[in-house]
Amino acid sequence: MARITLQTPDGNAFEAELSAALMTVGRAEDNDLQIPDGSVSSHHGQFANESGQWTFTDLGSTNGTKVNGERVERVELGDGASFEIGSVAAVFYEDAPAAAPASRGGTAPRTVSAAAGGFSSTPIERAARRGFGPKVKQKDGPRTMIVALGIVSLLVTIGIAAMLFSGGLGN
């Protein structure tokens, strides 16, 4: 199974298996391989296996794809080939088929067909996607508390002003 290792300029690194004949790469969540780095375009490029030959094709990205510092549109990949996706260092490895990875959650991996996107009828194994950790949803705790305090303060001010104008405070 072919795989790719990626390392961002700030040192974050991860590895992903290229489990389908065509896999999109970019910063956006709808890619098969998501790379959350500012130098990577939302839909940067795609890996393709064409008759046993792996390639990476740049899809018109802003920061480009580079080999030895030179911008290229397409890279033919062999074992150990290194290139850059934006500013993210990438190394391609093509190994013998590996044993199936151990299941983390005890459930079978979910596969989604890529045919709906018009690319290929080869299923994409979404459970095999690797990123820099779980997606974290920001909690609005502090902001919500500040808004609530602002509303309470406004209501108290309006109440005091109403009492002053109606003569309700010591007249």
Side-chain angles (χ1 to χ4, degrees), residues 1-108:
M1 178 68 55
R3 59 191 165 90
I4 190 84
T5 61
L6 301 163
Q7 184 166 3
T8 62
D10 59 358
N12 288 324
F14 72 99
E15 182 174 297
E17 287 187 2
L18 301 179
S19 57
L22 186 69
M23 293 182 69
T24 59
V25 177
R27 197 175 63 245
E29 290 184 17
D30 63 343
N31 287 290
D32 301 313
L33 179 59
Q34 184 182 8
I35 306 173
D37 183 79
S39 69
V40 177
S41 292
S42 58
H43 297 94
H44 198 101
Q46 65 186 15
F47 286 100
N49 187 342
E50 301 162 354
S51 302
Q53 172 63 53
W54 281 96
T55 59
F56 182 81
T57 304
D58 191 285
L59 298 176
S61 65
T62 302
N63 293 317
T65 300
K66 298 173 211 84
V67 175
N68 296 326
E70 303 244 352
R71 195 166 175 158
V72 296
E73 290 183 14
R74 181 181 164 116
V75 181
E76 288 191 9
L77 303 171
D79 191 43
S82 62
F83 59 103
E84 291 180 42
I85 300 171
S87 296
V88 177
V91 180
F92 174 82
Y93 297 99
E94 190 162 26
D95 325 295
S103 176
R104 293 182 185 194
T107 60

Side-chain angles (χ1 to χ4, degrees), residues 142-156:
R143 187 174 66 180
T144 303
M145 185 60 103
I146 291 171
V147 169
L149 286 174
I151 291 171
V152 169
S153 299
L154 181 64
L155 292 174
V156 168

Side-chain angles (χ1 to χ4, degrees), residues 120-133:
S120 168
S121 61
T122 305
I124 298 170
E125 191 176 320
R126 297 244 183 238
R129 290 174 61 178
R130 300 287 185 260
F132 293 107

